[in-house]
Amino acid sequence: MIDIPQRHQGKRPRVTIVDVANGAGVHVSTASRALNPGTSHRISSKVVRKIEKVAEQLGYKRNTLASSLRTQKTGTIGLIVPNLSDPLFSPIIASVEERVAEDGYVTFVANSDYSPVKLRSIIERMSSQFVAGLVVASFELNDPSVELCLELGIPTVAVLRDPRHPRMSSISMDDVSGVQALVEHILDLGHRDISYVTPPLAASTAQNRLAGFNAATRLAKAAGCRFDVVEARAYDVAEGERIMAHMLASGLTSTAVLAFNDLLAVGCLVALKSAGISCPEQISLTGVNDLPFMNMLSPPLTTLHTAGRDLGLEGADLLMSLIKNLSQPIKRVLLTPHLVLRGSTGPVRKRGSDADPSPVAVQSGAITG
Amino acid sequence: MIDIPQRHQGKRPRVTIVDVANGAGVHVSTASRALNPGTSHRISSKVVRKIEKVAEQLGYKRNTLASSLRTQKTGTIGLIVPNLSDPLFSPIIASVEERVAEDGYVTFVANSDYSPVKLRSIIERMSSQFVAGLVVASFELNDPSVELCLELGIPTVAVLRDPRHPRMSSISMDDVSGVQALVEHILDLGHRDISYVTPPLAASTAQNRLAGFNAATRLAKAAGCRFDVVEARAYDVAEGERIMAHMLASGLTSTAVLAFNDLLAVGCLVALKSAGISCPEQISLTGVNDLPFMNMLSPPLTTLHTAGRDLGLEGADLLMSLIKNLSQPIKRVLLTPHLVLRGSTGPVRKRGSDADPSPVAVQSGAITG
DNA sequence: CTGAAAGCGCTTACAG
DNA sequence: CTGAAAGCGCTTACAG
């Protein structure tokens, strides 16, 4: 019996530039020049047309592998994010892809999983694949991978997280003033006991948001207000739930809780609900990022809007210009996050009105996580 | 003045296999064999160790471009989704990446933007970059790109959307029975006038969900129930908002609305809210996919859970085995979506109770979009 | 077990 | 304006 593969039997042979050259009756070097935008002007337009026609008819596609090997440059850029599943990165991925495609580049996306070790190995792998440049959303502060990119000579732009390296350009959100505005809004609402949930201070985002919190609370602290910082271990909903349950169990006195990001805030909200505590009546809550659907929660979440699409577009744009000219001044761009006021924040309860003994009491049985 | 580039001056020279061979005092072919897992057993282990040590010291990284050009195979696979920003695709992207990484492949992600034309050009581009295989979530029914993949001889697996081609394997959700279960739940709640919002029937998902709706309503229709199908033009929140506003303006009589997906459902919810119609008291609402945060909406959305991670893992797994052996039987795998009952669906109002004239009345001023 | 040589498909100085 | 030739960095039949 003849063994016919059940699929793909029609594998068609690949057309090379040699086929095109033969078909057009010219030398391969002529065909190559004609088919390259940068050199086609050196060939008589009649011959160019002929070659283009033959290439079209034969369905010729340049072998980018061979081309890249020869020219030592590829049409690919790498994009590294710390968590592919976090909705925060969707618009960043989409917009980087879009912007670099304008210049004919394609994008490799990789997930560093919040690990500096994985980040390093991804960078090394991408370098060995000759990416033309890198957009990195995974850098931590003083991340040794920054030096690696510089040593390897790969044009690189940091987005979202700024490694704060004197030779690395970055596009990030102005977290300090953003969180400051958030705290001021909370103070305006009359809150005098506020907690902030921070992740480990590995990245600029974590450090800057804490700095914003501290800056805003410094004066108020002198005036007798109470501020507390609680450390989370991760960035996700589950951790937010755990932290809030823990805070409640330890006798939380705050009337407002600011979370590092929306995911933690949503987790806090879950824990508040299962403890039977109403938001914002008993506790006001805020996040950061303004992820999709945050306007549809119950209550809708007050947050800072992170312009993911702008981060991606500006980052990719800067990378494109860096690829054209590496020797340009380092830039550190801050985009202003805007405050999105929604239902999860409200005026602090007047003392003595409405009863209900503070601090917030909660049955230990109601605590999850 | 001497012009010193401000960045990247330390660009280090690339180490090739020739350097390694020289350093180890062997021929490049020996170095190549020693450094390749498949051939290293042919070299004396002493020499292998020597070569590995030198490679390590020199920081040698194989140039994958050159390697791929020679072997005619790359370590990359392509993943094509119709919309990079839809949260539905995040777990698919993450899980495909994860699974193929186990076999040493890296992933190219591309966005077809719901356009068969863009899809074709992405496939052609990826083919010209010698991807080892493709995972495609963008196929429409009878999509000519399926033939293209087969002709090009690229191992390909369809996920989420099944092009229903006799020679294309696919992993998708069992939408027919899923939506059927959804309708039965709604009927159980007492609803007798139900509308379904469908997008254009280009993809299997659209066609199957409509088929599920029709199958479930056939009997009930004979029993005098009223069912309506409304056509949307897109898949997003804005379109859901527009459609629901339109339905309300045209005197919607249904007490339950099923939307093709969560995004449309959320849009419907927005329109209901701005029209002052309560969900589920006046109108029950369902989506499909169970995107993140759907459990946190107000009301939480009843929906079908799409196991994005499983689609990605199974799809990538099948692709890996296809790459190893193209001549294997075509598979069409259906995963069962499970029904997630939440607050957006509830019993139909008893007639005559509670007053409120049906059909749902609404001021035209309240209609958005 | 190791070496010498050819070749993957391009591009680009070097000639003319 | 076009051609002939070298070479990017690998891998792999072919010898020995």
Side-chain angles (χ1 to χ4, degrees):
Chain A
M1 279 189 67
I2 302 169
D3 186 16
I4 298 175
Q6 308 202 3
R7 301 165 50 108
H8 307 297
Q9 53 270 62
K11 184 154 184 165
R12 72 184 180 207
R14 196 167 285 277
V15 179
T16 74
I17 201 168
V18 177
D19 302 318
V20 176
N22 290 342
V26 297
H27 193 261
V28 285
S29 58
T30 307
S32 173
R33 292 192 187 97
L35 262 17
N36 273 303
T39 47
S40 60
H41 65 98
R42 302 186 162 206
I43 307 291
S44 73
S45 52
K46 204 177 133 194
V47 174
V48 170
R49 272 195 300 276
K50 169 86 180 179
I51 292 171
E52 280 173 344
K53 201 182 126 208
V54 173
E56 167 74 35
Q57 283 172 345
L58 264 41
Y60 169 72
K61 301 275 167 192
R62 173 187 292 110
N63 182 329
T64 54
L65 250 36
S67 170
S68 298
L69 177 60
R70 179 58 230 259
T71 61
Q72 301 284 20
K73 56 183 73 163
T74 66
T76 63
I77 69 109
L79 168 60
I80 313 177
V81 299
N83 182 1
L84 266 173
S85 302
D86 185 334
L88 172 60
F89 296 104
S90 297
I92 295 181
I93 296 171
S95 59
V96 166
E97 227 249 346
E98 224 174 89
R99 174 61 188 87
V100 304
E102 281 174 23
D103 284 29
Y105 288 89
V106 300
T107 307
F108 264 119
V109 185
N111 188 353
S112 73
D113 209 14
Y114 294 107
S115 154
V117 176
K118 282 195 189 170
L119 175 56
R120 162 171 283 267
S121 94
I122 290 169
I123 291 171
E124 276 170 349
R125 196 195 65 209
M126 288 188 162
S127 159
S128 83
Q129 311 206 127
F130 292 88
V131 290
L134 244 32
V135 176
V136 182
S138 298
F139 282 136
E140 298 191 346
L141 289 165
N142 305 315
D143 200 315
S145 289
V146 173
E147 287 292 346
L148 179 62
C149 293
L150 295 171
E151 267 175 48
L152 291 168
I154 308 175
T156 306
V157 174
V159 295
L160 189 70
R161 294 164 151 215
D162 178 3
R164 294 205 203 117
H165 185 289
R167 282 165 61 220
M168 179 62 68
S169 287
S170 68
I171 319 279
S172 53
M173 303 304 296
D174 186 352
D175 283 317
V176 177
S177 70
V179 170
Q180 227 166 325
L182 209 47
V183 174
E184 273 152 24
H185 166 66
I186 296 293
L187 287 171
D188 285 349
L189 287 170
H191 296 271
R192 295 294 173 259
D193 184 341
I194 305 174
S195 289
Y196 171 65
V197 178
T198 181
L201 300 178
S204 64
T205 42
Q207 215 169 85
N208 289 344
R209 287 175 208 175
L210 180 59
F213 182 76
N214 287 333
T217 57
R218 200 158 299 136
L219 280 178
K221 207 175 274 173
C225 294
R226 199 172 170 291
F227 298 101
D228 205 12
V229 174
V230 183
E231 277 197 48
R233 299 179 202 141
Y235 306 78
D236 54 20
V237 174
E239 176 69 359
E241 205 174 330
R242 192 188 69 78
I243 280 283
M244 178 56 88
H246 179 75
M247 288 164 74
L248 291 175
S250 356
L252 179 70
T253 57
S254 297
T255 58
V257 174
L258 280 61
F260 168 76
N261 68 8
D262 291 347
L263 294 177
L264 286 168
V266 167
C268 288
L269 198 54
V270 172
L272 287 177
K273 279 188 185 173
S274 59
I277 296 170
S278 61
C279 169
E281 291 75 11
Q282 291 175 273
I283 293 187
S284 282
L285 184 67
T286 70
V288 172
N289 283 340
D290 194 18
L291 296 180
F293 310 122
M294 293 301 110
N295 58 330
M296 301 289 296
L297 301 187
S298 155
L301 189 68
T302 290
T303 188
L304 288 173
H305 186 79
T306 295
R309 195 175 158 76
D310 293 335
L311 288 174
L313 289 178
E314 297 248 346
D317 203 66
L318 183 52
L319 180 62
M320 292 296 97
S321 87
L322 217 50
I323 287 173
K324 281 167 205 145
N325 169 24
L326 254 184
S327 315
Q328 56 179 277
I330 304 305
K331 258 195 214 173
R332 203 162 280 138
V333 179
L334 288 182
L335 306 183
T336 304
H338 75 263
L339 191 53
V340 186
L341 300 184
R342 299 208 184 99
S344 70
T345 45
V348 71
R349 265 170 323 160
K350 296 290 179 295
R351 288 160 192 276
S353 78
D354 250 77
D356 198 287
S358 59
V360 174
V362 63
Q363 300 162 290
S364 63
I367 295 174
T368 41
Chain B
M1 279 188 68
I2 300 171
D3 185 17
I4 298 176
Q6 308 203 0
R7 303 168 47 111
H8 306 299
Q9 52 269 65
K11 185 154 184 166
R12 71 186 180 205
R14 196 168 285 275
V15 179
T16 74
I17 200 168
V18 176
D19 302 318
V20 176
N22 290 344
V26 298
H27 193 262
V28 284
S29 57
T30 307
S32 173
R33 291 191 187 98
L35 263 15
N36 272 304
T39 47
S40 60
H41 66 97
R42 302 185 162 206
I43 306 292
S44 72
S45 53
K46 203 177 131 195
V47 175
V48 170
R49 271 196 300 277
K50 168 87 181 178
I51 292 171
E52 280 173 343
K53 200 181 125 210
V54 173
E56 166 75 36
Q57 284 172 344
L58 265 43
Y60 169 72
K61 301 275 167 193
R62 173 188 291 108
N63 181 330
T64 54
L65 249 37
S67 170
S68 298
L69 177 61
R70 180 58 231 257
T71 61
Q72 301 283 21
K73 56 183 73 162
T74 65
T76 63
I77 69 109
L79 168 59
I80 313 178
V81 299
N83 182 1
L84 265 174
S85 302
D86 186 333
L88 172 61
F89 296 104
S90 298
I92 295 180
I93 297 172
S95 59
V96 167
E97 226 248 347
E98 225 176 88
R99 174 61 187 84
V100 303
E102 280 175 24
D103 285 29
Y105 288 88
V106 300
T107 308
F108 264 118
V109 185
N111 188 352
S112 73
D113 210 13
Y114 294 106
S115 154
V117 176
K118 281 195 190 169
L119 175 57
R120 161 170 283 267
S121 93
I122 290 169
I123 291 170
E124 277 171 348
R125 196 194 64 208
M126 287 188 163
S127 159
S128 82
Q129 310 206 132
F130 292 88
V131 290
L134 244 30
V135 175
V136 182
S138 299
F139 282 135
E140 298 192 345
L141 289 164
N142 307 315
D143 200 315
S145 290
V146 173
E147 287 292 346
L148 178 62
C149 293
L150 295 171
E151 267 175 47
L152 292 168
I154 308 175
T156 305
V157 174
V159 296
L160 188 70
R161 295 164 150 213
D162 179 1
R164 296 209 200 113
H165 186 288
R167 283 164 62 219
M168 178 62 67
S169 288
S170 67
I171 318 279
S172 54
M173 304 305 295
D174 185 351
D175 282 318
V176 178
S177 70
V179 170
Q180 226 166 324
L182 209 47
V183 173
E184 273 152 26
H185 166 65
I186 296 292
L187 287 170
D188 285 349
L189 287 170
H191 295 270
R192 295 295 173 258
D193 184 341
I194 306 174
S195 289
Y196 171 64
V197 178
T198 182
L201 300 178
S204 63
T205 42
Q207 213 167 85
N208 290 343
R209 287 175 208 173
L210 179 59
F213 183 75
N214 286 335
T217 57
R218 199 158 300 135
L219 282 178
K221 206 175 276 175
C225 293
R226 198 171 173 293
F227 298 101
D228 205 12
V229 174
V230 184
E231 277 197 48
R233 298 179 202 142
Y235 306 77
D236 54 20
V237 174
E239 177 68 358
E241 205 173 332
R242 191 190 69 80
I243 281 283
M244 178 56 88
H246 179 75
M247 289 164 75
L248 292 174
S250 353
L252 178 70
T253 57
S254 299
T255 57
V257 174
L258 281 62
F260 168 78
N261 69 8
D262 292 347
L263 294 176
L264 286 168
V266 167
C268 288
L269 198 54
V270 171
L272 287 176
K273 280 189 184 171
S274 59
I277 295 170
S278 60
C279 169
E281 291 77 9
Q282 289 174 275
I283 292 187
S284 281
L285 185 66
T286 70
V288 172
N289 283 339
D290 193 18
L291 297 181
F293 310 122
M294 293 302 109
N295 58 331
M296 302 289 296
L297 301 187
S298 155
L301 189 68
T302 290
T303 186
L304 290 172
H305 185 78
T306 296
R309 194 174 158 76
D310 293 335
L311 288 174
L313 288 177
E314 297 248 345
D317 204 66
L318 183 53
L319 180 62
M320 293 295 96
S321 86
L322 217 50
I323 287 174
K324 281 166 204 147
N325 169 24
L326 253 184
S327 315
Q328 58 180 274
I330 303 306
K331 258 194 217 173
R332 204 162 280 139
V333 179
L334 286 182
L335 306 184
T336 304
H338 75 264
L339 191 53
V340 186
L341 300 184
R342 299 206 184 100
S344 70
T345 45
V348 70
R349 266 169 321 159
K350 299 285 179 296
R351 289 158 192 276
S353 78
D354 250 79
D356 198 286
S358 59
V360 174
V362 64
Q363 300 162 290
S364 63
I367 295 174
T368 41

